[in-house]
Amino acid sequence: MTETFGAEFLVRWLTAVAEDVGREADRLTELDSAIGDADHGANLKRGFAAVAETLAKEPPGTPGAVLTTAGRQLISTVGGASGPLYGTLLRRAGKALGDDGRVGRERLAEALGAGVAAVSQLGGARVGDKTMLDALVPAVEALPESFAAARAAAEEGALATVPLRARKGRASYLGERSVGHQDPGATSSALLFAALAATATPEGEEG
């Protein structure tokens, strides 16, 4: 029987993301200082902290509503490009899930895929442009296999941005000087899937 997940699982996931982003905020900002505006970590920390607070106060009743609420909160809280991009990712995924009370991993992958497509359209980027999509796309493609596979794919995608030349976003202004730096957006995207795998899998198990 295929395992399914309710709203409470999505709340735990995004709460874990808030904790992980808070812990890694300085590293994200350090990465962003090399090729961006040096605000990625601080912006996401503030945004996901607001998401966790909102979900704790009034937990939505369905997985879709959790993601939609989180996306809306990010868009209203986070400045720069990361708020609209992450907000679009979660809002579009929430819309794709609709009103279903429980979803399986494959359905979640499809919904996140719709979110990733919306992010690509919003930012005009694709895989290889040295953006968050370099982690998001392989992660979503691997998610039907397992949560662990999605986490690994996201981490590999983030590392693969190091030798790339940025073609979109603030980093693209640097041209060749963007080569040799890991993209902060891809790095924070990998945190999303690391938190998802940790939420889905009890410590010490594979999943």
Side-chain angles (χ1 to χ4, degrees):
M1 182 177 174
T2 303
E3 187 177 10
T4 59
F5 309 93
E8 187 268 344
F9 173 82
L10 277 294
V11 170
R12 285 194 291 119
W13 170 36
L14 293 175
T15 301
V17 171
E19 293 171 357
D20 290 354
V21 167
R23 188 172 55 248
E24 296 291 328
D26 288 346
R27 183 169 76 99
L28 293 173
T29 292
E30 185 179 344
L31 291 172
D32 197 34
S33 68
I35 58 175
D37 295 326
D39 59 1
H40 189 64
N43 282 345
L44 282 190
K45 180 179 180 179
R46 182 174 67 253
F48 276 103
V51 166
E53 183 179 350
T54 298
L55 295 178
K57 282 181 180 176
E58 296 182 30
T62 65
V66 172
L67 295 182
T68 302
T69 299
R72 191 164 54 238
Q73 187 67 50
L74 286 173
I75 290 171
S76 66
T77 306
V78 182
S82 55
L85 291 169
Y86 273 110
T88 295
L89 171 69
L90 296 180
R91 281 183 66 182
R92 184 65 187 83
K95 184 179 178 182
L97 288 180
D99 297 325
D100 290 357
R102 298 187 68 82
V103 298
R105 192 177 63 243
E106 290 193 3
R107 182 81 194 285
L108 181 60
E110 290 175 4
L112 289 171
V116 170
V119 168
S120 178
Q121 185 174 20
L122 179 65
R126 57 187 180 184
V127 172
D129 285 344
K130 199 183 183 92
T131 70
M132 61 197 296
L133 291 172
D134 289 301
L136 290 176
V137 170
V140 167
E141 290 176 348
L143 185 54
E145 179 185 339
S146 71
F147 289 109
R151 177 186 62 211
E155 290 169 353
E156 290 169 11
L159 287 173
T161 64
V162 174
L164 298 177
R165 173 176 174 168
R167 292 198 287 261
K168 292 291 178 182
R170 177 72 176 77
S172 65
Y173 302 155
L174 298 177
E176 289 297 333
R177 285 181 292 154
S178 66
V179 174
H181 299 282
Q182 186 166 318
D183 181 68
T187 305
S188 58
S189 294
L191 291 178
L192 251 68
F193 285 91
L196 180 59
T199 302
T201 311
E203 192 170 347
E205 296 182 14
E206 287 298 320

